[in-house]
Amino acid sequence: MKSYHLDYLDALEAEAIYILRETAAQFDNPALLFSGGKDSILLVHLALKAFRPGKFPFPLVHIDTGHNFQEALDYRDNLVNRIGERLIVRKVQDSIDQGRVKEETGKHASRNALQTVTLLDAIAELKFDACIGGARRDEEKARAKERIFSVRDEFGQWEPRLQRPELWNLFNGKIQKGENVRVFPISNFTELDVWRYIERENIELPKLYFSHERNVFSRDGLWYPDSEYIYRDADETVEKKTVRFRTVGDMTCTAAVLSHADNVSTIIDEIITAQTTERGSRIDDKRSEAAMEERKRGGYF
């Protein structure tokens, strides 16, 4: 009799597919939040495995800050065209124009936190009862407090002390009117797991993740991309460096790392020996000790 060996990547994949299918079964109108980053790309790949040959039981939703990397936007559009799924885009600029949020100014201005209002407005407008996201517990200590099904109140706020137990992979999707659930199918993946799975599945990614030459400048020990969206002091000199991005988000909060890793295998080797965490290159996390938790309590992804 032929024996089958289930390795740890198979187990993580099976868990994520199970969670995606549970989400489709338990909620009336879910959505998959898509940013063009590797974790949301991984979610789309898993959704293809979970629901093909049928269509996704949810649209892809991108909250566009207007300050995204063009490479990520191009990848997003190419992916949607290739898989033939529905994409809904809501723009932070519209929230600014409507007076719903105020544009930050100054040296550390960013639109990243402003996404929260645009997201909550999209949830209310489109009546989503669940939003699938690519957060992982190893990213940051506030992320580590998350359940797989993370309940948000009628104001979109997250209270970690009121989350439900999830024993034996039983997920409770029952919510009151106005409440919303954020679903995190890849919570138990680590950064290294993500890259090993990408290698195994041969998943295409934006070129941002691989080493390339880019104009950057140094500030507070981080390499900021040179952009019209990012304030730069006169003494902050632009240099051309060989860099890559470990995490991709709004350009104003995503720093590059010096790297010559130009393929998935060398990226895996680099991660194994890295002295800093993946979120160590996220500028917005450095605003305060509890920056992420404060944003999540307000309705952030």
Side-chain angles (χ1 to χ4, degrees), residues 139-143 145 279 282-297:
E139 288 182 273
E140 198 271 345
K141 57 189 177 183
R143 299 288 203 199
K145 298 178 183 180
R279 298 290 298 194
R282 287 296 293 232
I283 299 160
D284 51 331
D285 285 355
K286 301 183 183 301
R287 292 194 173 198
S288 73
E289 181 67 21
M292 173 62 81
E293 183 154 341
E294 291 165 0
R295 294 198 303 276
K296 284 172 61 61
R297 286 179 181 271

Side-chain angles (χ1 to χ4, degrees), residues 102-244:
K102 185 177 180 181
E103 182 93 74
E104 293 184 358
T105 59
K107 185 173 184 177
H108 301 288
S110 173
R111 288 187 174 183
N112 193 52
L114 306 186
Q115 296 178 85
T116 299
V117 171
T118 310
L119 172 62
L120 295 179
D121 285 349
I123 290 171
E125 173 201 351
L126 299 164
K127 297 181 171 53
F128 294 132
D129 52 1
C131 291
I132 303 163
R136 308 186 324 269
R137 290 187 178 125
D138 77 314
E139 288 182 273
E140 198 271 345
K141 57 189 177 183
R143 299 288 203 199
K145 298 178 183 180
E146 285 280 20
R147 299 288 195 266
I148 301 292
F149 278 19
S150 178
V151 180
R152 307 300 173 98
D153 66 20
E154 62 269 31
F155 301 104
Q157 297 176 332
W158 173 68
E159 175 47 68
R161 292 174 297 180
L162 299 180
Q163 298 303 308
R164 301 160 179 176
E166 292 179 336
L167 306 175
W168 307 292
N169 281 344
L170 297 175
F171 305 115
N172 181 0
K174 293 183 179 179
I175 54 175
Q176 301 296 321
K177 185 177 181 179
E179 291 181 334
N180 183 269
V181 172
R182 306 291 168 81
V183 180
F184 302 112
I186 61 171
S187 286
N188 292 325
F189 280 72
T190 65
E191 181 189 14
L192 191 57
D193 295 334
V194 169
W195 280 103
R196 283 177 169 159
Y197 187 78
I198 287 169
E199 181 179 47
R200 189 185 84 171
E201 300 290 305
N202 195 27
I203 300 172
E204 182 184 353
L205 295 178
K207 297 186 185 303
L208 291 160
Y209 284 105
F210 304 96
S211 67
H212 59 282
E213 286 194 337
R214 183 177 291 267
N215 289 334
V216 294
F217 64 93
S218 179
R219 177 189 295 167
D220 302 327
L222 297 174
W223 291 100
Y224 285 62
D226 183 37
S227 166
E228 62 181 308
Y229 305 131
I230 302 175
Y231 175 89
R232 179 168 55 84
D233 283 332
D235 61 348
E236 292 177 322
T237 305
V238 174
E239 305 174 60
K240 182 165 283 189
K241 295 285 187 179
T242 301
V243 301
R244 73 176 192 88

